[in-house]
Amino acid sequence: MLESLYVKDFAIVGEAEIVFGPGMTVVTGETGAGKSLLVDALLLLAGGRADAAMVRHGCERAELSATFDLAGRGDLRAWLAAEDLDEDGACQLRRVVRSEGSSRAWINGRPVTLTQLKTLAAGLIEIHGQHEHQALLDRAQQLALLDAFGAHEAEAAEVARTARAWRDTGARIAELSRGEDHAERVEWLGHQVEELDRHALAPDDLAALEERHRRLANSGQLLQGCATLAERLDGDGEYALLRMVARVQHEIAQLATLDERLAPVGELVDTAQIQLSEVNDALARYQSALDLDPDSLAEAEAQLGKLHELARKHRVRMPDLKAHADGLRDELETLRGAGASIASLREQQQRQRKAWDAAAKALGTRRAAAAKTLSGAVSSLMAELGMRGGRFEVQLETNGEDDPDPQGAERCEFLVSANPGQPPRALRKVASGGELSRISLAIEVAALGSDTIGTMVFDEVDSGIGGAVAEVVGQKLHALGARAQVLCVTHLPQVAAQGDRHLRVSKSSDGASTETRIDALDGKPRQEEVARMLGGIEITRETLAHAKQMLGKRG
């Protein structure tokens, strides 16, 4: 439900904030006062085309914002959350139009695209006017309204579910088929897997091979280095470490006889001598185990060369070859069973097609019955709304698709003949704006409670009518307001008197500028406004009494 609307420097409105409530709100005012500016503002907030002419003369930009109550609209709250636009249950639409014609939009303070703005607004507000685009003119919306009117939610959901299942199975078949020669692919994968299984190594094994290759490739240098170290540790030279340590041991032992405090130093030297001896023994063992083996080196180089070749061929790193082989093996096993899988999936898809056929037939039967009922109800209401002899038809026709369609086997078109003797034509091709508005009203009243739109706006739906028909239009709008919030721009007192709330739009000028003002009316001011609509400029006691009587009859 629309809670408030704020406009600033919009057309001839300087600044205005309007608070709305439930039920039916009427908007009145003299011709040219700007009654339809409220509708224009809502159209712009719903994603309508922005124009520099919308900015008040002499101002840099026009600002508009509206807040909505989303109580009972879990679908819209879920959409806001999915788009990261939720804000503690709030719903505020804002739009700014600059004087050069550019515009920006926000939802709950976050910048959005016009597509996002239109998507959200389509679930919040529905505008019925003589010239504006209306959701009822869209064939998909017409089908949705018919299903809502006939309470086909369960049948429609089953049709959509079976159609999606059929398509998902088809996608799986296409994925397995891939449009290739399976035998050729299987043969190629088998060769690759066999080759990789023969040569690929796990990361730890690869690291061990690289370490072994490095050792074999440098065995000569390692042997030479070990021999040099052994000579420096325990060679025949005067400066071999173990000989020098032995001399140090002897000299410290001599000194320790003179001062016992040097005894611990001697022990440290003894420890060093032991460790150096262990180093010498370890080097000797390493040298004896190390061998110059050209054959082993050649074998390691060949193995690494093959791994490099496979890595380039499969475009993966050498450590990843084993995992790549596992992936190819999975694909190979899948393809080897693809023939049987595809056959099984085709049988499953046939069963899904039969399930969709049955669900679509059941939905089609219910749609046909609902179409007949809705056609009769709207035709009757058209007669009450001044289009006596007019006819409304809900036409169902096959969608022409061979494949299961999530929307069912048929499409819907609303047809209307506004005058006797005229053949029905598509609602979207009806030329008269006033007739289109009243037909829309008839459809909404006939389908009362069928859709979830919380706010409905009717702009000049009473165009071209008067008298008793105008009173009926007001009554129908009031009845609609009991279920949804209704905002109606009108010039007829019979309609204005039916409103639960009344807004008056007036225009004033100081000679230099013109400004529109919007006032909420109640009590005597409202009675005077209805009297003005009845009697024109001069308001008499008779017109005031008539206005009072009309206001007393509302509801």
Side-chain angles (χ1 to χ4, degrees), residues 2 93 256 327 353 483 513 523 548:
L2 176 64
L93 311 186
R353 176 57 192 255
R483 199 273 307 171
S513 64
K548 183 177 182 180

Side-chain angles (χ1 to χ4, degrees), residues 180-195:
E180 299 177 358
D181 183 347
H182 276 194
E184 183 178 337
R185 179 71 176 172
V186 166
E187 182 180 355
W188 183 85
L189 284 171
H191 173 73
Q192 303 307 314
V193 170
E194 181 184 356
E195 185 180 37

Side-chain angles (χ1 to χ4, degrees), residues 117-136:
L117 190 66
K118 288 178 181 178
T119 300
L120 177 59
L124 290 170
I125 190 166
E126 193 172 273
I127 298 175
H128 301 269
Q130 297 189 43
H131 307 292
E132 293 81 13
H133 171 76
Q134 301 177 35
L136 282 175

Side-chain angles (χ1 to χ4, degrees), residues 150-330:
H152 305 151
E153 290 83 358
E155 291 83 355
E158 179 62 13
V159 167
R161 185 193 68 78
T162 52
R164 285 194 300 269
W166 183 90
R167 290 183 179 182
D168 290 346
T169 303
R172 180 60 178 154
I173 291 172
E175 180 184 350
L176 288 175
S177 300
R178 291 195 177 188
E180 299 177 358
D181 183 347
H182 276 194
E184 183 178 337
R185 179 71 176 172
V186 166
E187 182 180 355
W188 183 85
L189 284 171
H191 173 73
Q192 303 307 314
V193 170
E194 181 184 356
E195 185 180 37
L196 286 168
D197 283 345
R198 190 164 58 249
H199 297 288
L201 296 176
D204 290 345
D205 295 332
L206 176 62
L209 172 63
E210 290 175 329
E211 173 63 26
R212 178 167 168 263
H213 173 263
R214 188 164 49 251
R215 184 173 63 252
L216 288 170
N218 296 284
S219 57
Q221 183 179 346
L222 289 169
L223 283 171
Q224 181 62 41
C226 287
T228 300
L229 289 173
E231 179 66 25
R232 289 176 179 172
L233 279 169
D234 195 19
D236 295 332
E238 180 180 357
Y239 298 106
L241 285 176
L242 285 172
R243 288 177 180 272
M244 293 178 68
V245 168
R247 287 198 294 271
V248 170
Q249 282 179 305
H250 176 72
E251 291 176 6
I252 287 181
Q254 292 280 337
L255 293 173
T257 60
L258 301 176
D259 188 346
E260 291 183 354
R261 287 178 300 173
L262 287 173
V265 177
E267 293 174 358
L268 291 174
V269 174
D270 291 342
T271 301
Q273 189 274 337
I274 293 171
Q275 290 179 334
L276 286 172
S277 296
E278 290 178 353
V279 170
N280 191 44
D281 292 341
L283 282 172
R285 290 193 300 272
Y286 179 81
Q287 278 183 284
S288 64
L290 193 61
D291 191 14
L292 294 173
D293 189 350
D295 292 338
S296 295
L297 176 60
E299 179 185 341
E301 287 181 340
Q303 191 173 0
L304 283 172
K306 183 63 178 179
L307 290 171
H308 278 290
E309 177 189 336
L310 289 172
R312 286 194 301 272
K313 176 180 177 180
H314 293 278
R315 296 181 182 180
V316 297
R317 300 182 313 118
M318 283 199 300
D320 297 332
L321 282 171
K322 197 73 174 176
H324 181 64
D326 293 337
L328 292 182
R329 184 179 294 104
D330 290 342

